[in-house]
mmCIF file of all heavy atoms in Angstrom:
data_model
loop_
_atom_site.group_PDB
_atom_site.id
_atom_site.type_symbol
_atom_site.label_atom_id
_atom_site.label_comp_id
_atom_site.label_asym_id
_atom_site.label_seq_id
_atom_site.Cartn_x
_atom_site.Cartn_y
_atom_site.Cartn_z
ATOM 1 N N SER A 200 11.829 23.092 -16.929
ATOM 2 C CA SER A 200 12.088 21.943 -16.167
ATOM 3 C C SER A 200 11.383 20.764 -16.795
ATOM 4 O O SER A 200 10.738 20.881 -17.822
ATOM 5 C CB SER A 200 11.556 22.125 -14.685
ATOM 6 O OG SER A 200 11.864 20.983 -13.896
ATOM 7 N N ILE A 201 11.486 19.617 -16.140
ATOM 8 C CA ILE A 201 10.879 18.362 -16.641
ATOM 9 C C ILE A 201 9.998 17.791 -15.520
ATOM 10 O O ILE A 201 10.446 17.712 -14.393
ATOM 11 C CB ILE A 201 11.899 17.309 -17.055
ATOM 12 C CG1 ILE A 201 12.791 17.818 -18.207
ATOM 13 C CG2 ILE A 201 11.328 15.992 -17.421
ATOM 14 C CD1 ILE A 201 12.200 17.918 -19.463
ATOM 15 N N ALA A 202 8.758 17.438 -15.867
ATOM 16 C CA ALA A 202 7.926 16.704 -14.936
ATOM 17 C C ALA A 202 8.135 15.234 -15.257
ATOM 18 O O ALA A 202 7.999 14.789 -16.385
ATOM 19 C CB ALA A 202 6.463 17.070 -15.138
ATOM 20 N N ASN A 203 8.493 14.444 -14.217
ATOM 21 C CA ASN A 203 8.700 13.026 -14.353
ATOM 22 C C ASN A 203 7.430 12.282 -13.909
ATOM 23 O O ASN A 203 6.927 12.541 -12.796
ATOM 24 C CB ASN A 203 9.877 12.503 -13.521
ATOM 25 C CG ASN A 203 11.152 13.122 -14.048
ATOM 26 O OD1 ASN A 203 11.485 12.902 -15.231
ATOM 27 N ND2 ASN A 203 11.867 13.924 -13.271
ATOM 28 N N VAL A 204 6.978 11.355 -14.720
ATOM 29 C CA VAL A 204 5.780 10.560 -14.367
ATOM 30 C C VAL A 204 6.223 9.087 -14.155
ATOM 31 O O VAL A 204 6.973 8.588 -14.960
ATOM 32 C CB VAL A 204 4.681 10.621 -15.479
ATOM 33 C CG1 VAL A 204 3.470 9.818 -15.124
ATOM 34 C CG2 VAL A 204 4.318 12.080 -15.675
ATOM 35 N N THR A 205 5.798 8.468 -13.064
ATOM 36 C CA THR A 205 6.135 7.088 -12.809
ATOM 37 C C THR A 205 4.815 6.286 -12.594
ATOM 38 O O THR A 205 3.761 6.791 -12.202
ATOM 39 C CB THR A 205 7.026 6.964 -11.492
ATOM 40 O OG1 THR A 205 6.288 7.492 -10.423
ATOM 41 C CG2 THR A 205 8.316 7.643 -11.668
ATOM 42 N N TYR A 206 4.966 4.998 -12.871
ATOM 43 C CA TYR A 206 3.862 4.001 -12.645
ATOM 44 C C TYR A 206 4.409 3.019 -11.640
ATOM 45 O O TYR A 206 5.363 2.268 -11.989
ATOM 46 C CB TYR A 206 3.424 3.343 -13.921
ATOM 47 C CG TYR A 206 2.505 2.175 -13.676
ATOM 48 C CD1 TYR A 206 1.203 2.349 -13.296
ATOM 49 C CD2 TYR A 206 3.024 0.858 -13.792
ATOM 50 C CE1 TYR A 206 0.403 1.253 -13.109
ATOM 51 C CE2 TYR A 206 2.243 -0.200 -13.590
ATOM 52 C CZ TYR A 206 0.886 -0.053 -13.200
ATOM 53 O OH TYR A 206 0.098 -1.156 -12.955
ATOM 54 N N ARG A 207 3.901 3.016 -10.442
ATOM 55 C CA ARG A 207 4.400 2.070 -9.406
ATOM 56 C C ARG A 207 5.913 2.093 -9.239
ATOM 57 O O ARG A 207 6.518 1.048 -9.158
ATOM 58 C CB ARG A 207 3.869 0.671 -9.640
ATOM 59 C CG ARG A 207 2.353 0.625 -9.495
ATOM 60 C CD ARG A 207 1.894 -0.829 -9.503
ATOM 61 N NE ARG A 207 0.479 -0.995 -9.242
ATOM 62 C CZ ARG A 207 -0.043 -1.223 -8.111
ATOM 63 N NH1 ARG A 207 0.675 -1.321 -7.057
ATOM 64 N NH2 ARG A 207 -1.327 -1.410 -7.954
ATOM 65 N N GLY A 208 6.519 3.301 -9.337
ATOM 66 C CA GLY A 208 7.932 3.447 -9.189
ATOM 67 C C GLY A 208 8.729 3.335 -10.488
ATOM 68 O O GLY A 208 9.909 3.646 -10.471
ATOM 69 N N ASP A 209 8.161 2.765 -11.533
ATOM 70 C CA ASP A 209 8.884 2.745 -12.835
ATOM 71 C C ASP A 209 8.695 3.957 -13.625
ATOM 72 O O ASP A 209 7.557 4.499 -13.764
ATOM 73 C CB ASP A 209 8.346 1.497 -13.628
ATOM 74 C CG ASP A 209 8.617 0.178 -12.899
ATOM 75 O OD1 ASP A 209 9.701 0.065 -12.271
ATOM 76 O OD2 ASP A 209 7.836 -0.736 -13.082
ATOM 77 N N PRO A 210 9.740 4.470 -14.279
ATOM 78 C CA PRO A 210 9.577 5.641 -15.158
ATOM 79 C C PRO A 210 8.568 5.391 -16.237
ATOM 80 O O PRO A 210 8.533 4.354 -16.843
ATOM 81 C CB PRO A 210 10.986 5.857 -15.715
ATOM 82 C CG PRO A 210 11.905 5.086 -14.822
ATOM 83 C CD PRO A 210 11.116 3.945 -14.283
ATOM 84 N N ALA A 211 7.609 6.386 -16.458
ATOM 85 C CA ALA A 211 6.577 6.213 -17.430
ATOM 86 C C ALA A 211 6.637 7.285 -18.541
ATOM 87 O O ALA A 211 6.390 6.996 -19.706
ATOM 88 C CB ALA A 211 5.207 6.271 -16.739
ATOM 89 N N ALA A 212 6.933 8.529 -18.168
ATOM 90 C CA ALA A 212 6.935 9.582 -19.150
ATOM 91 C C ALA A 212 7.666 10.859 -18.599
ATOM 92 O O ALA A 212 7.901 10.936 -17.377
ATOM 93 C CB ALA A 212 5.525 9.930 -19.589
ATOM 94 N N GLU A 213 7.929 11.754 -19.425
ATOM 95 C CA GLU A 213 8.458 13.083 -19.051
ATOM 96 C C GLU A 213 7.687 14.172 -19.799
ATOM 97 O O GLU A 213 7.233 13.947 -20.967
ATOM 98 C CB GLU A 213 9.944 13.201 -19.457
ATOM 99 C CG GLU A 213 10.829 12.290 -18.654
ATOM 100 C CD GLU A 213 12.310 12.505 -19.017
ATOM 101 O OE1 GLU A 213 12.586 13.093 -20.069
ATOM 102 O OE2 GLU A 213 13.155 12.086 -18.157
ATOM 103 N N ALA A 214 7.425 15.279 -19.146
ATOM 104 C CA ALA A 214 6.772 16.413 -19.819
ATOM 105 C C ALA A 214 7.542 17.645 -19.542
ATOM 106 O O ALA A 214 8.068 17.904 -18.448
ATOM 107 C CB ALA A 214 5.341 16.505 -19.228
ATOM 108 N N LEU A 215 7.651 18.468 -20.539
ATOM 109 C CA LEU A 215 8.395 19.706 -20.448
ATOM 110 C C LEU A 215 7.591 20.786 -19.814
ATOM 111 O O LEU A 215 6.381 21.033 -20.128
ATOM 112 C CB LEU A 215 8.781 20.185 -21.855
ATOM 113 C CG LEU A 215 9.521 21.537 -21.991
ATOM 114 C CD1 LEU A 215 10.891 21.422 -21.327
ATOM 115 C CD2 LEU A 215 9.652 21.974 -23.412
ATOM 116 N N ILE A 216 8.190 21.454 -18.866
ATOM 117 C CA ILE A 216 7.532 22.645 -18.175
ATOM 118 C C ILE A 216 8.367 23.856 -18.647
ATOM 119 O O ILE A 216 9.615 23.945 -18.422
ATOM 120 C CB ILE A 216 7.650 22.524 -16.632
ATOM 121 C CG1 ILE A 216 7.074 21.208 -16.101
ATOM 122 C CG2 ILE A 216 7.003 23.698 -16.025
ATOM 123 C CD1 ILE A 216 5.659 21.051 -16.301
ATOM 124 N N ILE A 217 7.739 24.777 -19.273
ATOM 125 C CA ILE A 217 8.363 25.923 -19.925
ATOM 126 C C ILE A 217 8.590 27.062 -18.827
ATOM 127 O O ILE A 217 7.663 27.263 -18.010
ATOM 128 C CB ILE A 217 7.572 26.450 -21.086
ATOM 129 C CG1 ILE A 217 7.503 25.421 -22.152
ATOM 130 C CG2 ILE A 217 8.147 27.756 -21.653
ATOM 131 C CD1 ILE A 217 6.538 25.651 -23.329
ATOM 132 N N ALA A 218 9.752 27.719 -18.844
ATOM 133 C CA ALA A 218 10.010 28.807 -17.908
ATOM 134 C C ALA A 218 8.959 29.873 -17.896
ATOM 135 O O ALA A 218 8.392 30.159 -18.947
ATOM 136 C CB ALA A 218 11.403 29.410 -18.252
ATOM 137 N N ASP A 219 8.630 30.412 -16.699
ATOM 138 C CA ASP A 219 7.632 31.410 -16.581
ATOM 139 C C ASP A 219 7.744 32.087 -15.216
ATOM 140 O O ASP A 219 8.651 31.788 -14.435
ATOM 141 C CB ASP A 219 6.260 30.703 -16.717
ATOM 142 C CG ASP A 219 5.195 31.679 -17.240
ATOM 143 O OD1 ASP A 219 5.407 32.910 -17.222
ATOM 144 O OD2 ASP A 219 4.120 31.228 -17.585
ATOM 145 N N THR A 220 6.885 33.073 -14.961
ATOM 146 C CA THR A 220 6.875 33.755 -13.708
ATOM 147 C C THR A 220 5.452 33.688 -13.106
ATOM 148 O O THR A 220 4.494 33.888 -13.770
ATOM 149 C CB THR A 220 7.228 35.242 -13.944
ATOM 150 O OG1 THR A 220 8.571 35.285 -14.467
ATOM 151 C CG2 THR A 220 7.239 36.029 -12.600
ATOM 152 N N ILE A 221 5.473 33.387 -11.793
ATOM 153 C CA ILE A 221 4.131 33.384 -11.051
ATOM 154 C C ILE A 221 4.210 34.745 -10.200
ATOM 155 O O ILE A 221 5.044 34.881 -9.360
ATOM 156 C CB ILE A 221 4.055 32.214 -10.085
ATOM 157 C CG1 ILE A 221 4.155 30.947 -10.908
ATOM 158 C CG2 ILE A 221 2.725 32.292 -9.348
ATOM 159 C CD1 ILE A 221 4.268 29.644 -10.074
ATOM 160 N N PRO A 222 3.302 35.681 -10.524
ATOM 161 C CA PRO A 222 3.299 36.929 -9.838
ATOM 162 C C PRO A 222 2.959 36.767 -8.312
ATOM 163 O O PRO A 222 2.408 35.780 -7.926
ATOM 164 C CB PRO A 222 2.154 37.779 -10.485
ATOM 165 C CG PRO A 222 1.924 37.068 -11.781
ATOM 166 C CD PRO A 222 2.293 35.594 -11.537
ATOM 167 N N ALA A 223 3.331 37.777 -7.508
ATOM 168 C CA ALA A 223 3.119 37.764 -6.091
ATOM 169 C C ALA A 223 1.626 37.761 -5.824
ATOM 170 O O ALA A 223 0.846 38.447 -6.486
ATOM 171 C CB ALA A 223 3.707 39.004 -5.400
ATOM 172 N N ARG A 224 1.178 36.920 -4.891
ATOM 173 C CA ARG A 224 -0.180 36.848 -4.420
ATOM 174 C C ARG A 224 -1.163 36.699 -5.592
ATOM 175 O O ARG A 224 -2.238 37.270 -5.634
ATOM 176 C CB ARG A 224 -0.593 38.104 -3.622
ATOM 177 C CG ARG A 224 0.384 38.556 -2.571
ATOM 178 C CD ARG A 224 0.221 37.960 -1.232
ATOM 179 N NE ARG A 224 -1.130 38.085 -0.638
ATOM 180 C CZ ARG A 224 -1.590 37.274 0.295
ATOM 181 N NH1 ARG A 224 -0.793 36.335 0.747
ATOM 182 N NH2 ARG A 224 -2.809 37.400 0.697
ATOM 183 N N ALA A 225 -0.806 35.851 -6.547
ATOM 184 C CA ALA A 225 -1.604 35.656 -7.732
ATOM 185 C C ALA A 225 -1.764 34.163 -8.067
ATOM 186 O O ALA A 225 -1.055 33.354 -7.581
ATOM 187 C CB ALA A 225 -1.012 36.451 -8.884
ATOM 188 N N ASP A 226 -2.699 33.945 -8.996
ATOM 189 C CA ASP A 226 -2.902 32.565 -9.453
ATOM 190 C C ASP A 226 -2.250 32.398 -10.855
ATOM 191 O O ASP A 226 -2.106 33.396 -11.608
ATOM 192 C CB ASP A 226 -4.413 32.307 -9.652
ATOM 193 C CG ASP A 226 -5.081 32.198 -8.278
ATOM 194 O OD1 ASP A 226 -4.464 31.697 -7.319
ATOM 195 O OD2 ASP A 226 -6.258 32.731 -8.190
ATOM 196 N N HIS A 227 -1.818 31.226 -11.144
ATOM 197 C CA HIS A 227 -1.133 30.934 -12.398
ATOM 198 C C HIS A 227 -1.447 29.571 -12.844
ATOM 199 O O HIS A 227 -1.452 28.601 -12.075
ATOM 200 C CB HIS A 227 0.416 31.031 -12.143
ATOM 201 C CG HIS A 227 1.240 30.840 -13.336
ATOM 202 N ND1 HIS A 227 1.409 31.794 -14.302
ATOM 203 C CD2 HIS A 227 1.977 29.751 -13.677
ATOM 204 C CE1 HIS A 227 2.216 31.328 -15.212
ATOM 205 N NE2 HIS A 227 2.573 30.098 -14.885
ATOM 206 N N ASP A 228 -1.811 29.427 -14.138
ATOM 207 C CA ASP A 228 -2.099 28.075 -14.678
ATOM 208 C C ASP A 228 -0.874 27.534 -15.349
ATOM 209 O O ASP A 228 -0.178 28.205 -16.109
ATOM 210 C CB ASP A 228 -3.262 28.152 -15.732
ATOM 211 C CG ASP A 228 -4.587 28.516 -15.085
ATOM 212 O OD1 ASP A 228 -4.724 28.278 -13.888
ATOM 213 O OD2 ASP A 228 -5.488 28.902 -15.845
ATOM 214 N N LEU A 229 -0.659 26.258 -15.096
ATOM 215 C CA LEU A 229 0.434 25.535 -15.695
ATOM 216 C C LEU A 229 -0.140 24.386 -16.515
ATOM 217 O O LEU A 229 -0.821 23.533 -15.992
ATOM 218 C CB LEU A 229 1.323 24.944 -14.567
ATOM 219 C CG LEU A 229 2.570 24.247 -15.011
ATOM 220 C CD1 LEU A 229 3.602 25.207 -15.466
ATOM 221 C CD2 LEU A 229 3.146 23.471 -13.824
ATOM 222 N N ASN A 230 0.087 24.476 -17.813
ATOM 223 C CA ASN A 230 -0.489 23.499 -18.765
ATOM 224 C C ASN A 230 0.633 22.592 -19.294
ATOM 225 O O ASN A 230 1.734 23.019 -19.593
ATOM 226 C CB ASN A 230 -1.055 24.176 -19.982
ATOM 227 C CG ASN A 230 -2.117 25.189 -19.630
ATOM 228 O OD1 ASN A 230 -2.952 24.875 -18.766
ATOM 229 N ND2 ASN A 230 -2.095 26.343 -20.224
ATOM 230 N N THR A 231 0.322 21.262 -19.364
ATOM 231 C CA THR A 231 1.262 20.302 -19.929
ATOM 232 C C THR A 231 0.492 19.079 -20.443
ATOM 233 O O THR A 231 -0.650 18.822 -19.976
ATOM 234 C CB THR A 231 2.349 19.939 -18.889
ATOM 235 O OG1 THR A 231 3.353 19.169 -19.586
ATOM 236 C CG2 THR A 231 1.801 19.073 -17.788
#
Side-chain angles (χ1 to χ4, degrees):
S200 185
I201 299 289
N203 295 301
V204 180
T205 59
Y206 168 75
R207 293 190 177 263
D209 294 329
E213 292 182 342
L215 177 65
I216 307 291
I217 297 170
D219 206 346
T220 300
I221 304 172
R224 311 270 311 157
D226 293 322
H227 181 77
D228 288 343
L229 184 73
N230 303 317
T231 190

